[in-house]
Amino acid sequence: MRFIQWWGFSLCGVILGVLLDFCFGDPAVSWHPICLIGNLISFTRKKLRDPIDRKFSDAREREEKNKAEFRGGIWLVLIVVSVSTLLPSGILVLAYALHPVSGVIVEGIFCWFLLATKCLKQESTNVKRALTEEGLQAGQKAVARIVGRDTAVLDKQGVIKAAVETVAENSSDGCIAPLFYMLLGGAPLGFFYKSINTMDSMVGYRNETYRYFGRAAAKTDDVVNFIPARISALLLVASAVLCGYSASNAWRIFKRDRRKHASPNSAQTESAMAGALGIQLAGDAWYFGELHKKETIGDALREIEPEDIDCANRILYGMVVLGTVLGVLLKGCVLVCMSTAGILPPI
């Protein structure tokens, strides 16, 4: 199959994946590819970490153990990314060799598994429903499903804020970033991204266990998210216009607060979301029983409310629709221009 044909068919697969995600959400199946990647990470982590722990059991060897853990973390990234990218690539090659239609269907299903727009909306809406209908404790339990912080210490505003922050941050990690990579290189590049992002969520912590072993995964995640996070923030500002929120304030807060996070990427969309809704996000948070001091993002023009979760989801859907339309148009134009210029065979 010619490259230009594959690129065109792959584009159809991406569109199919977005539509499936919008209609059905993330499939809750045990063989979900992201679950399988998570199992691969856990298995590889154990095989790499256990020998290090046995070899450097003496506390006096701490420096050597740190170096060994860092090297082990690099191997974790290389192994997980290679397997997670090459295996679906091989399946797609076979599917397209069978027939282009079967290839598009398989790629569409793969892309569906890689996107989380409706799932993100459902989970955050569950937080709002639990909080408003069952009370604070139910809201704390619901938000614990989607955040990594300690939720038992959160008050009502803290629960709402955590849900809105999750929608804002994952609008990039769970939606625009995988879409960006899928538009560039189809489902295989989407799996490349999600394997890194999943590793970061599992081992990319600055605690005693993963400070060195998870560093390679965390830094790699920062690199692959650098461009998508900024594209996501711009799409969020544009979506605020379409959804009737304050795009001017979203842009102002984005420019002012986009660097107020230890990660170079997390505050990009959080700042734009805070500005669009006229609320304040971030601030101090508890992780594993330890208080982490953080800067606030946005201005508290008003008190945050449960309805802000719905507002954040409307902006989320707007930015994914915008991102898909613009990405498809841009990729289509590139295909036509490359074909016209003779760089690729005629369509």
Side-chain angles (χ1 to χ4, degrees), residues 116-132 139 142-143 145-147 159-168 170 306 308-314 316-317:
T117 310
K118 187 170 183 177
C119 177
L120 187 55
K121 178 187 176 183
Q122 289 173 331
E123 290 293 339
S124 58
T125 302
N126 288 341
V127 174
K128 178 195 172 187
R129 184 180 301 112
L131 184 64
T132 56
V143 81
R145 290 172 49 88
I146 57 175
V147 300
V159 170
I160 302 168
K161 183 190 294 186
V164 173
E165 287 173 6
T166 299
V167 173
N170 285 281
D308 287 315
I309 296 174
D310 295 331
C311 298
N313 282 316
R314 280 193 285 272
L316 166 69
Y317 267 73

Side-chain angles (χ1 to χ4, degrees), residues 40-215:
L40 173 63
I41 294 168
S42 297
F43 174 81
T44 310
R45 175 183 57 190
K46 180 176 175 59
K47 292 298 181 182
L48 292 170
R49 278 294 298 269
D50 285 357
I52 295 173
D53 292 336
R54 288 194 297 268
K55 183 177 180 180
F56 300 100
S57 56
D58 194 326
R60 291 171 296 182
E61 301 175 309
R62 186 63 202 180
E63 185 175 346
E64 289 301 315
K65 183 178 182 181
N66 292 343
K67 292 178 181 178
E69 286 182 353
F70 180 68
R71 290 193 296 269
I74 293 175
W75 277 110
L76 175 71
V77 172
L78 292 174
I79 293 169
V80 171
V81 168
S82 297
V83 174
S84 301
T85 306
L86 292 175
L87 188 58
S89 297
I91 295 173
L92 275 177
V93 168
L94 293 175
Y96 276 114
L98 182 64
H99 195 278
V101 174
S102 63
V104 169
I105 292 173
V106 171
E107 185 145 26
I109 293 172
F110 278 170
C111 293
W112 175 25
F113 281 118
L114 293 170
L115 294 166
T117 310
K118 187 170 183 177
C119 177
L120 187 55
K121 178 187 176 183
Q122 289 173 331
E123 290 293 339
S124 58
T125 302
N126 288 341
V127 174
K128 178 195 172 187
R129 184 180 301 112
L131 184 64
T132 56
E133 296 180 4
E134 302 176 47
L136 178 59
Q137 190 172 12
Q140 292 170 338
K141 290 181 180 179
V143 81
R145 290 172 49 88
I146 57 175
V147 300
R149 72 191 68 176
D150 299 340
T151 60
V153 298
L154 298 177
D155 59 11
K156 180 180 179 180
Q157 282 68 38
V159 170
I160 302 168
K161 183 190 294 186
V164 173
E165 287 173 6
T166 299
V167 173
E169 184 175 354
N170 285 281
S171 64
S172 178
D173 291 4
C175 306
I176 300 301
L179 180 62
F180 172 81
Y181 283 101
M182 288 188 296
L183 286 168
L184 284 179
L189 208 57
F191 277 108
F192 165 85
Y193 168 76
K194 289 300 289 186
S195 65
I196 295 170
N197 190 241
T198 306
M199 266 188 292
D200 178 60
S201 68
M202 293 179 67
V203 304
Y205 297 101
R206 296 183 179 181
N207 55 23
E208 186 65 23
T209 304
Y210 295 119
R211 187 178 304 276
Y212 296 96
F213 188 78
R215 184 173 294 176

